[in-house]
Amino acid sequence: MNILITATVILFWVLLLFYSAVTIGGVWYRLRFRNPPKIKHYPSVAVLIPAHNEEIVIENTLRAMARLKYEGKLDIYLLDDSYKDGTAAIVQEFAEVFSRIHYIPVPPGNPKGKSRVLNYGLSITDSDYFVVYDADNEPEADALEKLVQAAEVVPNAAGAVGYVKTKNVDTNILTRMIALEFQVFQLLMQCGRWTLFRLGSLAGTNMLLRRSVVEKLGGYDVYALAEDAELTVRLTAAGYVLPVIPTSRTWEQEPETLKAFIKQRTRWLTGNLYLLEKSIKDRSHWRGKTFVLSLQHLFTYLIFVLMLLISDVFFVLSIAGVDIPNIGAPLMMLWFMTYIVYTAQLLSALVIDRNVSLTNVLYVLVMYFTYAQLFILLLVRSVTTYTWSKLRKKTIAWDKTQRFKGRVDS
């Protein structure tokens, strides 16, 4: 029992030190960041927007796409993977007004999901680069330009990744907490990994990729539910880098109900379980810098949640006065340090993003006890789903994130 608890404590401290170092690195990078310089020649870019019954959000998305500023050749492709709603009619109206917007119906096929649609998009375009935006995204006018400039000036870059912000942050408590989480894990941790290890990670949207590199690697894995994480590992294993550009920003809609949130995050976690299994079978996923990346995925999607659960158990046992073998360190301190590191990350993100307010600080102080605890449920649900699919030898179906009707821009 002593050995088991001691090993757990050591792992605990390794995880805390890792997150602390990456957070400090992220703060340092954000404070020193300067926009990439202008370039002489702007290569051609195709914007790929996978869509599946998106009539609720697609109008705002296309308005934002029409406002993109780019000096080179730019074409925007709405890849419609379903014809059951009014998405097609809305996109075709925009295509009649804006010559660079194109409506592309995607032929039916299996397996369903974003990866297959993106592979089809690559097959019908021929640009130097392509950038992926989800169908609910509203990138800022200069977001694409900054990504291209970074990809062109950073040696051995396979593309570049930007910042994903929450446009429905004020809807309810859940959306505000998601927005705070994104400030840490979608950007601050990204910046920290880039500072410490020269590692960037694709975020699923607002990500630019060099076509020749992705085609060389065989395109997207159609069985990967977390296609961004899976492709990141292959790119890193091949020796490419993905610079992180925090000033390239897109705004997206996040789940507004607990049910929608759990379904979305279950897909994300299940996709990362697939990636972990794939990494175990493929040694290249642990070669060089890829080792750090794979280890980070393991920490974020598995060990962090397990440590969260263990810290909860330690906390309850300590409060209850249960006699636990002496390991030379108070178990209450382990729980307390976990809370301190988690909260410090969120507070750091608030300061760097300049959105410190009493309301946000109060949310940060309670997120560990509320929002973070949901990830224990998500891990259990994901492991169960993934294991059951493996036992039945069936592919897990792609589960699209629910959209919510919001304000329509004029």
Side-chain angles (χ1 to χ4, degrees):
M1 184 65 177
N2 264 326
I3 295 175
L4 179 61
I5 294 179
T6 302
T8 301
V9 170
I10 293 172
L11 187 58
F12 225 108
W13 282 107
V14 169
L15 181 64
L16 292 178
L17 290 172
F18 174 81
Y19 275 116
S20 298
V22 174
T23 300
I24 294 170
V27 171
W28 177 251
Y29 181 77
R30 290 290 304 279
L31 291 174
R32 298 173 61 249
F33 182 79
R34 296 292 182 271
N35 284 321
K38 291 282 187 178
I39 54 180
K40 293 181 179 179
H41 170 70
Y42 283 82
S44 59
V45 177
V47 176
L48 303 183
I49 307 173
H52 181 82
N53 297 330
E54 306 287 0
E55 67 177 349
I56 293 178
V57 296
I58 201 62
E59 183 175 344
N60 275 354
T61 298
L62 293 177
R63 288 181 186 277
M65 297 300 163
R67 291 192 292 264
L68 285 174
K69 297 185 300 184
Y70 188 67
E71 295 183 22
K73 178 176 171 52
L74 175 64
D75 286 286
I76 300 160
Y77 298 90
L78 192 289
L79 306 171
D80 192 356
D81 191 32
S82 178
Y83 323 115
K84 296 179 181 178
D85 70 350
T87 299
I90 296 172
V91 180
Q92 287 165 351
E93 285 182 10
F94 274 84
E96 291 176 2
V97 177
F98 302 97
S99 61
R100 67 185 187 184
I101 295 179
H102 312 280
Y103 172 74
I104 307 294
V106 178
N110 287 302
K112 301 290 185 182
K114 185 176 178 180
S115 294
R116 184 184 69 86
V117 173
L118 288 174
N119 281 339
Y120 182 75
L122 289 174
S123 73
I124 55 104
T125 58
D126 60 0
S127 56
D128 298 315
Y129 286 92
F130 68 96
V131 62
V132 178
Y133 285 108
D134 287 338
D136 63 338
N137 270 223
E138 297 176 36
E140 295 180 358
D142 60 354
L144 171 60
E145 187 175 73
K146 290 175 179 176
L147 293 178
V148 173
Q149 288 166 180
E152 286 288 285
V153 300
V154 174
N156 213 31
V161 293
Y163 188 8
V164 182
K165 292 184 70 68
T166 303
K167 65 183 178 184
N168 57 336
V169 59
D170 294 323
T171 300
N172 55 38
I173 294 174
L174 177 61
T175 57
R176 186 174 291 274
M177 288 187 172
I178 292 174
L180 291 169
E181 179 209 3
F182 269 38
Q183 288 180 228
V184 173
F185 294 101
Q186 287 283 357
L187 185 63
L188 193 62
M189 300 294 282
Q190 276 268 46
C191 292
R193 288 195 302 271
W194 179 251
T195 301
L196 298 178
F197 309 111
R198 297 285 288 180
L199 285 172
S201 181
L202 299 174
T205 188
N206 199 26
M207 58 184 194
L208 178 82
L209 288 160
R210 196 182 300 269
R211 173 187 296 274
S212 59
V213 172
V214 175
E215 289 180 343
K216 180 181 177 182
L217 295 181
Y220 284 90
D221 180 347
V222 295
Y223 296 101
L225 296 181
E227 80 293 330
D228 48 352
E230 193 279 334
L231 182 57
T232 297
V233 170
R234 282 192 286 141
L235 287 169
T236 306
Y240 296 100
V241 297
L242 293 162
V244 181
I245 312 302
T247 55
S248 170
R249 307 195 303 180
T250 189
W251 298 77
E252 76 173 11
Q253 186 186 90
E254 301 304 335
E256 296 180 2
T257 66
L258 191 58
K259 180 180 179 181
F261 173 80
I262 289 175
K263 289 181 68 176
Q264 179 199 62
R265 295 308 177 91
T266 297
R267 171 166 58 81
W268 290 8
L269 282 169
T270 304
N272 277 276
L273 290 174
Y274 169 83
L275 177 57
L276 285 174
E277 181 186 3
K278 191 172 182 178
S279 296
I280 292 172
K281 297 177 181 178
D282 188 345
R283 292 185 179 180
S284 70
H285 286 195
W286 300 90
R287 188 182 304 144
K289 288 185 178 180
T290 317
F291 174 81
V292 177
L293 190 64
S294 295
L295 194 64
Q296 184 268 330
H297 278 109
L298 187 65
F299 274 173
T300 300
Y301 293 103
L302 184 60
I303 296 179
F304 169 74
V305 182
L306 291 176
M307 293 296 98
L308 186 66
L309 177 60
I310 291 171
S311 72
D312 289 344
V313 172
F314 282 176
F315 176 73
V316 172
L317 292 179
S318 297
I319 293 296
V322 175
D323 184 22
I324 300 176
N326 181 19
I327 57 173
L331 296 181
M332 277 291 288
M333 179 182 292
L334 296 176
W335 174 88
F336 182 70
M337 287 304 300
T338 305
Y339 174 75
I340 289 297
V341 171
Y342 182 86
T343 304
Q345 287 178 322
L346 290 164
L347 290 174
S348 299
L350 283 182
V351 173
I352 293 298
D353 256 21
R354 299 180 181 178
N355 63 341
V356 177
S357 68
L358 178 60
T359 300
N360 281 339
V361 171
L362 290 175
Y363 274 108
V364 164
L365 294 177
V366 301
M367 277 183 67
Y368 181 87
F369 306 100
T370 55
Y371 184 82
Q373 303 302 320
L374 289 173
F375 286 82
I376 298 173
L377 168 65
L378 291 170
L379 180 62
V380 172
R381 193 169 188 264
S382 301
V383 170
T384 302
T385 300
Y386 191 71
T387 303
W388 182 237
S389 70
K390 296 293 289 185
L391 291 174
R392 294 187 302 161
K393 297 182 179 180
K394 289 189 176 182
T395 302
I396 300 176
W398 177 270
D399 189 8
K400 173 182 170 291
T401 300
Q402 181 183 352
R403 309 296 188 202
F404 299 88
K405 192 171 182 61
R407 179 177 59 84
V408 177
D409 293 336
S410 58

